[in-house]
Amino acid sequence: MTDTENTPGAGGEALVSAFDSMGADYVFCSSGSEWAPVWESLARRHRDGERAPRYLDLTHETVAVGMATGYGLLARRPQAVLLHAAPGLLQGSMAVHGALLAGVPMVVASSESTTYGDGPGPDPGGQWYRNLSVVGGPHGIARPFTKWSNEAAGVHTLPAMVTRAAELARRAPAGPVYLNIPLEILLEEWDGREAKPVVPPGSTHSSPEEADAVAELIREAANPVIVTETAGREAGGFEALVAFAEAWNIPVVEPDSAVCGNFPRTHPLHAGSDIGPWMDEADLILLVNCRAPFYPPSRRPSKARIVVVDEVPQRPHIAYQVLFADRYLEGNVTNTLRQLAERAHTRPPDAEATAAVTARRAEHERRHADEQASIAAAEAKAARSEGIDPVHVAATLRGLLDGRDAIVVDETITHSRVVRRHVRTAAPDSYFYVQGGLGQGIAVALGVKLAARERPVVLTIGDGAFTYNPIVPSYDAANAYGLPLLIVVFNNRVYKSMNLNHRRFYPEGAAAETGEWLGTDLRRLPRLAAFAEPFGMHTETVDAPDALAPALERALKAVAEGTTAVVDVLVTR
């Protein structure tokens, strides 16, 4: 350990050392004046050839947190995020809440002064006294949208506190934690004591007796179904769910609330996204990492018993959660699915189950044929109108991405079902849906690309969501850190979801009578792809079906050569 005693700002060394010990690959920072001690520590380490997490200098809080989210979706380990004081925390709070909903671990920190220039040592600056500090501290602000929130008490306890924060972030249910680190602590002398490296959590297991009982319920069920939102988020969960479903011949539903790809959409056992048909037909529903399966929550299945497979089924950050559980398996989800799959091998051959699987395969093939017919119809319709049918856009993407091991990050709203159904991702870690408020999609996609540089990353996004994103800071990060994306905008020139709600609530109201639909029109916006031109990115605007595939091919070629490409597609609905 280098001698840091009596060095002003040695608390910055303590924090960087703690981030290194917790295993952070990156420090995602949206700059603030309190982080000078951290910058000095990093500069010294770089000069002296010492190890440190890689520092990313980002120009917007949503970009910093969103990139940490995207990276964490694949790395599944907590990264470090530095924001500026309470205002920076508030600016990034939407993305922090999105990380909580997505179950992504990270350690978020910001700062404030506690002496306001009246204490000994370096002057923290008058900005804290005048307009940055908040009553109760920023850790009070962060509590509702983080898993844990606290304040560091001193430089000597700081390393161990960061370790505790990282361990809390990683354990189920994984999520972001927050630590307020007063500037005076970062400027304190430090005695060099370091944090113990963070180790992975120990695994939890459902007992054999509990797994046996659930296996018996499955054997007795005539019409079981699996419903999952985030099985694929767990390490090995995607593969374990496939093995479990195949072993027992059980169809899998991924509802609209699914956070990621959990099961191959090309698989004959994939039963789409609608749980509705199963509410009256299923006699056993297996909720696998499914936080909110029924809507409205009171909509209880008519005859099905419900088994919940989830390490922490009751999510403390969800305000209202109804599962109707008859039985819980609360061990590690991947391990539990493997246990249940093993128990299927003792099951004697079942002619009815085999016939059911054959029927489901035929149904899957029929749905595929129907999709192709709908695509052809969409193309014919689009040829007679301005724009391209969204189904045709998604299907064209699917064809062009085939065999490329691509990852799709989705921030569409009214087109999300189209993207999921027709892009049809089939591999682990190949699809993620952005959680929480709109405006994070580009940052999350950048973080995914940071974690998987060798794979093409495609962001599908609506024009409304696109305008919420911090475009300039996002494009700057893409260029600065060599993270080329393919961004495909589904541009219908309207906030469609808002318009649909207005029409649903007031079908015969004044707006329907006069055509004055407020809060929804986006036709006045300029060409969305043009915002990328000052950054030297590849841009295309497409409004004809026959031009779509060539434009996307050119865009993918640009991405492969290291340039972000933005394709603004004018869609018909």
Side-chain angles (χ1 to χ4, degrees):
M1 177 69 200
T2 54
D3 182 15
T4 58
E5 293 189 39
N6 301 315
T7 302
E13 284 278 357
L15 184 57
V16 173
S17 173
F19 284 158
D20 183 56
S21 293
M22 86 180 201
D25 301 312
Y26 291 93
V27 176
F28 299 85
C29 182
S30 178
S31 298
S33 54
E34 67 265 46
W35 300 123
V38 171
W39 299 333
E40 180 62 20
S41 172
L42 290 169
R44 187 200 61 75
R45 286 170 180 254
H46 296 159
R47 181 197 66 191
D48 297 345
E50 294 183 14
R51 189 176 67 183
R54 186 178 176 190
Y55 176 85
L56 299 185
D57 204 355
L58 305 165
T59 55
H60 196 283
E61 290 83 359
T62 297
V63 176
V65 181
M67 286 185 65
T69 298
Y71 188 85
L73 285 168
L74 273 72
R76 298 181 172 88
R77 292 178 286 103
Q79 303 300 307
V81 180
L82 301 181
L83 307 178
H84 176 44
L89 175 64
L90 287 168
Q91 181 74 274
S93 61
M94 180 186 70
V96 177
H97 183 247
L100 181 69
L101 297 177
V104 175
M106 64 180 68
V107 176
V108 181
S110 70
S111 183
E112 66 175 16
S113 173
T114 53
T115 64
Y116 307 105
D118 280 343
D123 180 7
Q127 70 272 22
W128 305 98
Y129 179 60
R130 289 191 289 264
N131 67 356
L132 285 182
S133 294
V134 297
V135 174
H139 49 292
I141 293 173
R143 286 194 182 102
F145 53 84
T146 57
K147 183 179 175 182
W148 175 84
S149 179
N150 211 335
E151 180 180 38
V155 69
H156 304 300
T157 59
L158 178 59
M161 205 156 194
V162 171
T163 296
R164 170 169 162 73
E167 290 183 341
L168 281 166
R170 192 166 181 179
R171 277 157 176 78
V177 298
Y178 173 78
L179 192 58
N180 173 24
I181 309 173
L183 176 56
E184 287 79 0
I185 290 177
L186 294 172
L187 293 169
E188 279 186 32
E189 296 175 6
W190 175 47
D191 60 9
R193 72 183 75 178
E194 296 181 334
K196 185 180 183 298
V198 171
V199 296
S203 59
T204 60
H205 298 268
S206 300
S207 70
E209 293 79 12
E210 291 171 320
D212 287 341
V214 171
E216 189 58 34
L217 289 176
I218 298 173
R219 287 190 184 94
E220 294 171 354
N223 198 15
V225 65
I226 298 165
V227 184
T228 183
E229 292 177 341
T230 61
R233 187 186 60 199
E234 312 297 331
F238 189 100
E239 298 89 341
L241 182 59
V242 172
F244 169 55
E246 290 179 342
W248 290 96
N249 296 325
I250 305 176
V252 176
V253 173
E254 289 183 284
D256 290 339
S257 51
V259 170
C260 57
N262 304 287
F263 196 80
R265 287 195 162 262
T266 55
H267 198 288
L269 287 172
H270 197 287
S273 60
D274 186 8
I275 193 176
W278 301 93
M279 297 297 283
D280 294 324
E281 298 174 9
D283 55 357
L284 179 66
I285 297 177
L286 297 129
L287 301 179
V288 180
N289 263 24
C290 197
R291 59 190 172 171
F294 312 116
Y295 189 82
S298 59
R299 187 189 181 195
R300 186 169 191 158
S302 61
K303 61 182 179 181
R305 300 192 69 180
I306 297 173
V307 174
V308 175
V309 180
D310 197 319
E311 191 168 359
V312 184
Q314 295 294 340
R315 298 287 198 271
H317 60 268
I318 296 179
Y320 183 56
Q321 185 183 21
V322 180
L323 297 174
F324 295 123
D326 294 296
R327 187 179 293 271
Y328 289 103
L329 286 180
E330 296 188 41
N332 172 269
V333 169
T334 300
N335 179 271
T336 299
L337 293 175
R338 288 170 180 162
Q339 286 192 63
L340 293 174
E342 289 171 0
R343 282 157 173 75
H345 299 314
T346 62
R347 184 187 193 187
D350 188 326
E352 289 187 8
T354 301
V357 172
T358 302
R360 282 193 287 272
R361 185 180 297 274
E363 173 63 16
H364 184 274
E365 292 174 350
R366 184 194 65 76
R367 286 204 315 268
H368 178 61
D370 288 347
E371 288 175 2
Q372 296 305 308
S374 68
I375 292 167
E379 290 173 344
K381 178 181 178 182
R384 300 189 299 270
S385 62
E386 178 190 355
I388 306 169
D389 193 281
V391 173
H392 180 45
V393 180
T396 303
L397 263 179
R398 179 180 71 208
L400 292 174
L401 296 179
D402 186 38
R404 294 177 183 259
D405 192 27
I407 304 173
V408 176
V409 177
D410 188 16
E411 198 178 25
T412 60
I413 299 297
T414 53
H415 298 120
S416 60
R417 287 189 180 184
V418 169
V419 170
R420 284 196 297 268
R421 181 178 179 186
H422 294 283
V423 175
R424 296 172 71 194
T425 54
D429 291 336
S430 60
Y431 174 85
F432 298 102
Y433 190 76
V434 177
Q435 296 297 293
L438 296 175
Q440 309 170 60
I442 304 177
V444 172
L446 288 170
V448 168
K449 182 66 176 178
L450 186 67
R453 287 182 177 271
E454 73 287 354
R455 299 175 65 181
V457 176
V458 180
L459 172 67
T460 53
I461 187 169
D463 52 327
F466 181 88
T467 60
Y468 283 128
N469 276 257
I471 300 298
V472 171
S474 298
Y475 287 169
D476 171 65
N479 278 355
Y481 298 107
L483 302 172
L485 306 175
L486 170 57
I487 300 174
V488 180
V489 183
F490 285 66
N491 189 347
N492 56 11
R493 285 82 72 201
V494 66
Y495 283 124
K496 190 65 175 286
S497 61
M498 303 177 195
N499 184 256
L500 289 174
N501 266 355
H502 193 158
R503 293 174 184 271
R504 180 163 63 95
F505 295 143
Y506 303 100
E508 299 178 0
E513 180 182 342
T514 64
E516 184 182 10
W517 303 105
L518 300 176
T520 64
D521 186 14
L522 295 177
R523 292 182 182 273
R524 65 181 182 272
L525 294 178
R527 288 175 49 237
L528 299 183
F531 292 101
E533 291 174 0
F535 292 88
M537 296 173 173
H538 180 91
T539 65
E540 303 256 3
T541 300
V542 188
D543 62 1
D546 58 356
L548 178 64
L552 290 174
E553 287 173 350
R554 290 190 295 270
L556 282 168
K557 182 175 183 293
V559 171
E561 293 172 350
T563 302
T564 290
V566 184
V567 182
D568 184 14
V569 184
L570 304 183
V571 294
T572 55
R573 55 187 170 92

